[in-house]
């Protein structure tokens, strides 16, 4: 008997009957209607009579707590929308959100969408150079930030002529603001009850998330308001969100999980979410979940492995009996982690697989479905997924054979393009399939298994880092002649960045230089992109045309076969 306690019927039944129309119907949306994510997440929930329901329970680093109802959120997002509009920001212009996980980040996201802006969330740990690359590419008009991140913006402001407004949400007047800088205090702004929401339609651009590829600069993944149709129903079915849940998504909205499932999905379902400003700390995380009686928890393998490392005793010290559903995303969830969660929480983490580009979960383990630890599960009903041959890009139609994970385009939340980069976007499609760029296989029961990435992108702690961006930063260091960045294995973060470097004449390898180079990258890019190890080498392996062969270095790190090296220019 299928377990009717879940939002989703049994997987098999759902496969037969599911259509995106179900989501549209529940959202009261018909093709051609106006659709604005900001409205759907706040006004609509209030119109449904849930204005007094808690939308956000927020805790600061210091443990200070703030609570906002859906009505508070509706009004505050209106205030932000009015503020942006009055400043002179026009629909379609890019508004970057560059903040820690504070309420202004969440409400700024919805407020920006309400006035028709394209919101561009960026991880607040980014250094000036990472920030510059993304603001320059998007020709961003405004950035909303905090005092502590202002110096990073000031560093690059002059080089960004399109950036006209730097909005500081916590300015205390202690130091004068400069030209183009504006103070905004959400709590002191006039509460705007009525706001004329921008009449966005299905294909109106909504969110611009930057994601890294192997070559070139990071690309802006262009989402549209229609993505809601996928994000709403996958939140309901995969995360099994229900009326009385207290939901916790540990992801930062600088990355797609933090927006699709940390803002849009849960709030369009009218859920209460809690958010903690703090980063990972086992004891604090358990306390947080105990204090707020978290019921549904969406996290990532690195966090789970970090918790595992802290042991089982610490779990027993906390009452986590409220937890009823656990899910994970971002990197391979190893079987040990799934089994451990069963042991300590009495529940298995449900692995979910998707990408910035897909906008929503595309392969997953569903509540009630048998979990095979280590497998990513099965395609979401309404999404056709397969494994294609690595050379011909045609479906393999064979089980147990490794190929590339591919999806049939057509679900609502697929990105519509990369910002100013249609050529690269089109290159992701072959024979009518969207190629995810990941290798995997399908077993006899239809379960998908992840094998690895098909490109050189480094996935560290669930965050994609592009080697090109790291190498570009490295060669700006005065001692570095050439560089190659690859992922090396790490027991907790899955992989971390390792840099291979040849030095310019006059520089000698040393521990001190290694640390200086590491720090150099950390400041320019972020701690994630910082190499955890620098190896100084005489030469780097290259193709005859002079291209550095990262895969040779990577294989070396992973103890794998190097494969075809016939095109190598120099001896290894
Ligand atoms: C990887 C994050 C294994 C994969 C939502 C994918 C995973 C990339 C899983 C997307 C998983 C995501 N198992 N690998 N369950 N989920 N990935 O764009 O390589 O930041 O292509 O989106 O993360 O990362 P992105």
């Amino acid at each position: 008997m299928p377990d009717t306690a879940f939002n989703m019927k049994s997987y098999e039944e759902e496969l037969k009957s599911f259509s995106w129309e179900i989501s549209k119907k529940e959202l009261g949306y018909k093709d051609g209607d106006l659709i604005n994510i900001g409205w759907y997440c706040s006004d609509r929930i209030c119109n449904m009579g849930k204005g007094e329901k808690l939308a956000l329970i927020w805790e600061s680093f210091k443990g200070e707590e703030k609570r906002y109802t859906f009505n508070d959120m509706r009004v505050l997002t209106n205030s932000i929308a009015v503020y942006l509009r009055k400043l002179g920001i026009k629909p379609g212009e890019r508004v970057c959100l560059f903040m820690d996980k504070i309420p202004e980040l969440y409400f700024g996201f919805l407020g920006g969408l309400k006035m028709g802006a394209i919101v561009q969330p960026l991880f607040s740990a980014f250094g000036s150079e990472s920030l510059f690359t993304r603001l320059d590419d998007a020709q961003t008009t405004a950035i909303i930030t905090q005092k502590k991140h202002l110096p990073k913006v000031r560093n690059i402001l002059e080089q960004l002529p399109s950036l006209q407004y730097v909005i500081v949400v916590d300015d205390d007047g202690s130091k004068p603001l400069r030209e183009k800088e504006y103070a905004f205090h959400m709590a002191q702004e006039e509460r705007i009850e009525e706001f004329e929401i921008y009449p966005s339609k299905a294909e109106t651009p909504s969110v611009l998330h930057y994601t890294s590829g192997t070559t070139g600069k990071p690309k802006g993944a262009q989402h549209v308001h229609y993505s809601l149709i996928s994000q709403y129903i996958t939140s309901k079915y995969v995360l099994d969100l229900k009326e009385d849940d207290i939901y916790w998504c540990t992801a930062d909205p600088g990355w797609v999980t933090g927006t699709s499932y940390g803002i849009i999905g849960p709030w369009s379902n009218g859920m209460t979410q809690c958010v903690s400003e703090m980063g990972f700390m086992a004891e604090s995380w358990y306390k947080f979940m105990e204090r707020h009686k978290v019921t549904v928890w969406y996290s990532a393998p690195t966090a789970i492995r970090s918790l595992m490392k802290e042991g089982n005793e610490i779990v027993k010290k906390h009452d986590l009996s409220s937890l009823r559903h656990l899910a994970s995303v971002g990197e391979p969830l190893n079987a040990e982690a799934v089994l451990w969660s069963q042991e300590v929480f009495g529940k298995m983490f449900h692995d979910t697989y998707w990408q910035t580009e897909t906008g929503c979960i595309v392969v997953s383990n569903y509540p009630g479905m048998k979990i095979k630890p280590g497998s990513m599960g099965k395609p979401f009903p309404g999404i056709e997924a397969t494994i294609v041959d690595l050379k011909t890009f045609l479906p393999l139609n064979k089980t147990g054979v490794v190929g590339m994970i591919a999806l049939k385009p057509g679900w609502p939340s697929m990105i519509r393009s990369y910002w100013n980069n249609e050529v690269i976007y089109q290159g992701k499609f072959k024979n009518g399939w969207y190629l995810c760029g990941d290798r995997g296989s399908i077993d006899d029961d239809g379960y998908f298994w992840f094998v690895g990435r098909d490109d050189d992108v480094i996935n560290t702690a669930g965050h994609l880092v592009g080697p090109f961006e790291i190498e570009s930063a490295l060669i700006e260091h005065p001692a570095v002649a050439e560089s190659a960045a690859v992922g090396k294995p790490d027991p907790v973060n899955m992989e971390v960045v390792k840099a291979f470097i040849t030095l310019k004449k006059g520089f000698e390898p040393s521990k001190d230089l290694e640390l200086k180079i590491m720090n150099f990258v950390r400041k320019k890019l972020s701690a994630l992109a910082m190499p955890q190890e620098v190896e100084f080498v005489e030469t780097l392996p290259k193709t005859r045309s002079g291209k550095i062969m990262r895969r040779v270095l990577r294989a070396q790190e992973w103890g794998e076969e190097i494969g075809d090296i016939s095109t190598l220019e120099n001896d290894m």
Side-chain angles (χ1 to χ4, degrees):
M1 281 294 287
D3 191 341
T4 47
F6 302 118
N7 285 336
M8 193 171 165
K9 292 179 246 168
S10 78
Y11 183 70
E12 286 68 28
E13 258 185 79
E14 213 59 71
L15 269 187
K16 279 186 238 141
S17 59
F18 182 83
S19 105
W20 298 108
E21 294 304 319
I22 296 172
S23 178
K24 292 187 201 171
K25 204 165 158 216
E26 289 190 14
L27 288 164
Y29 169 83
K30 286 192 289 314
D31 289 341
D33 282 355
L34 298 180
I35 175 169
N36 187 296
I37 288 172
W39 181 83
Y40 266 101
C41 289
S42 56
D43 298 58
R44 178 169 183 265
I45 307 299
C46 295
N47 295 350
M48 291 165 87
K50 294 192 211 168
E52 293 316 307
K53 184 176 173 179
L54 275 180
L56 175 64
I57 305 170
W58 176 80
E59 253 187 49
S60 74
F61 282 122
K62 296 182 198 136
E64 173 203 4
E65 189 186 284
K66 286 187 186 163
R67 291 173 174 243
Y68 301 88
T69 63
F70 275 94
N71 193 47
D72 292 331
M73 191 160 81
R74 179 184 72 81
V75 172
L76 292 170
T77 52
N78 282 349
S79 302
I80 294 175
V82 165
Y83 182 84
L84 296 175
R85 199 178 264 178
K86 278 194 182 155
L87 263 188
I89 296 159
K90 298 189 188 58
E93 291 188 333
R94 275 72 60 211
V95 173
C96 172
L97 306 160
F98 191 55
M99 287 171 270
D100 297 347
K101 289 195 271 178
I102 56 173
E104 286 84 347
L105 168 60
Y106 294 80
F107 298 169
F109 181 92
L110 297 177
L113 293 176
K114 277 186 164 182
M115 59 74 65
I118 300 177
V119 292
Q120 181 192 10
L122 290 178
F123 191 37
S124 62
F126 277 156
S128 288
E129 192 152 318
S130 289
L131 185 62
F132 173 79
T133 311
R134 291 156 177 83
L135 296 178
D136 185 43
D137 187 69
Q139 293 290 291
T140 307
T141 306
I143 183 166
I144 311 181
T145 191
Q146 291 166 273
K147 229 170 31 187
K148 67 197 240 201
H149 300 303
L150 191 54
K152 296 192 277 190
V153 182
R154 284 179 173 170
N155 272 344
I156 53 175
L157 190 59
E158 265 184 30
Q159 297 146 257
L160 292 165
S162 46
L163 191 57
Q164 290 302 314
Y165 311 98
V166 178
I167 301 157
V168 187
V169 297
D170 57 351
D171 176 58
D172 55 10
S174 59
K175 288 196 193 124
L177 290 179
R178 301 181 186 170
E179 201 194 336
K180 296 188 181 175
E181 294 174 353
Y182 300 84
F184 172 82
H185 296 106
M186 193 169 76
Q188 290 155 29
E189 278 297 307
E190 190 192 342
R191 286 171 65 96
I192 307 283
E193 283 295 334
E194 298 297 331
F195 176 73
E196 199 187 317
I197 290 183
Y198 179 73
S200 43
K201 294 206 134 188
E203 295 304 305
T204 305
S206 55
V207 185
L208 190 62
H209 265 300
Y210 272 76
T211 182
S212 298
T214 298
T215 52
K217 292 180 181 167
K219 284 164 276 296
Q222 179 59 75
H223 293 269
V224 295
H225 281 269
Y226 192 60
S227 70
L228 172 72
I229 308 300
S230 294
Q231 289 150 348
Y232 165 83
I233 201 80
T234 49
S235 299
K236 182 167 174 179
Y237 283 12
V238 183
L239 302 176
D240 199 42
L241 298 180
K242 297 207 182 88
E243 189 58 39
D244 295 328
D245 274 321
I246 304 287
Y247 170 65
W248 187 32
C249 169
T250 59
D252 187 299
W255 312 95
V256 74
T257 306
T259 57
S260 288
Y261 297 103
I263 298 181
I264 308 172
W267 280 334
S268 61
N269 274 277
M271 291 300 125
T272 302
Q273 305 202 58
C274 43
V275 167
S276 167
E277 196 183 3
M278 75 192 157
F280 177 81
M281 267 190 304
E283 177 89 44
S284 320
W285 273 30
Y286 291 134
K287 281 198 174 132
F288 182 78
M289 289 196 282
E290 182 175 27
R291 198 158 52 243
H292 298 296
K293 300 198 169 41
V294 170
T295 56
V296 179
W297 179 24
Y298 195 22
S299 198
T302 290
I304 302 163
R305 286 190 292 265
S306 305
L307 292 174
M308 263 174 96
K309 240 176 82 180
E310 301 288 328
N312 298 4
E313 284 311 305
I314 179 172
V315 186
K316 290 185 197 142
K317 283 201 231 143
H318 300 91
D319 175 7
L320 300 174
S321 55
S322 56
L323 284 175
R324 72 169 183 84
H325 186 52
L326 318 180
S328 161
V329 65
E331 357 149 28
L333 181 64
N334 42 321
E336 298 77 29
V338 177
L339 298 173
W340 176 76
S341 87
Q342 174 68 43
E343 186 190 333
V344 297
F345 304 119
K347 298 188 173 60
M348 287 193 193
F349 265 97
H350 290 62
D351 193 11
T352 70
Y353 167 85
W354 58 291
Q355 307 178 304
T356 305
E357 287 84 348
T358 68
C360 76
I361 294 164
V362 292
V363 173
S364 176
N365 291 282
Y366 305 94
M369 186 175 97
K370 178 180 170 234
I371 291 183
K372 292 192 187 184
S375 157
M376 305 195 295
K378 297 187 178 189
F380 185 79
I383 294 181
E384 196 184 336
T386 193
I387 302 290
V388 296
D389 183 88
L390 293 169
K391 289 202 173 80
T392 64
F393 304 117
L394 290 166
L396 281 168
N397 295 323
K398 269 193 222 134
T399 58
V401 183
V402 174
M404 184 135 37
I405 303 171
L407 307 166
K408 181 101 323 158
W411 70 97
S413 64
M414 177 65 184
I415 58 164
R416 298 308 195 255
S417 191
Y418 291 117
W419 188 257
N420 284 336
N421 225 329
E422 181 65 15
V423 175
I424 293 197
Y425 182 65
Q426 287 307 331
K428 293 241 165 175
F429 298 87
K430 293 272 178 330
N431 303 324
W433 292 93
Y434 163 71
L435 307 177
C436 296
D438 289 313
R439 293 185 184 193
S441 66
I442 310 179
D443 71 13
D444 290 338
D445 300 321
Y447 283 72
F448 280 62
W449 296 78
F450 185 84
V451 172
R453 287 195 61 98
D454 191 55
D455 57 18
D456 292 340
V457 171
I458 302 159
N459 187 336
T460 180
H463 302 296
L464 302 188
V465 187
F468 179 80
E469 206 177 3
I470 304 169
E471 291 158 6
S472 305
L474 282 168
I475 55 166
E476 284 179 39
H477 189 280
V480 176
E482 288 178 309
S483 70
V486 299
K488 72 164 199 174
D490 182 84
V492 173
N493 299 293
M494 191 173 87
E495 49 183 0
V496 290
V497 177
K498 174 167 178 181
F500 290 84
I501 283 171
T502 63
L503 290 173
K504 283 189 186 150
K505 278 212 175 71
F507 290 93
E508 289 298 318
S510 72
K511 195 74 206 162
D512 181 52
L513 183 58
E514 178 181 7
L515 290 176
K516 281 196 175 124
I517 292 173
M518 286 165 148
N519 228 352
F520 183 76
V521 178
R522 185 182 58 77
K523 278 187 111 171
K524 272 184 178 294
L525 303 179
S526 67
L528 287 175
M530 179 184 84
Q532 304 284 320
E533 186 189 341
V534 174
E535 187 173 329
F536 298 104
V537 289
E538 289 296 320
T539 52
L540 289 168
K542 287 185 197 139
T543 60
R544 288 206 181 95
S545 60
K547 216 174 126 207
I548 292 168
M549 294 193 78
R550 294 189 196 101
R551 73 181 168 88
V552 172
L553 299 166
R554 190 190 143 85
Q556 199 175 296
E557 293 304 311
W558 290 77
E560 289 166 358
E561 288 287 311
I562 292 173
D564 179 15
I565 54 165
S566 58
T567 51
L568 286 186
E569 181 189 68
N570 46 6
D571 291 337
M572 284 292 295

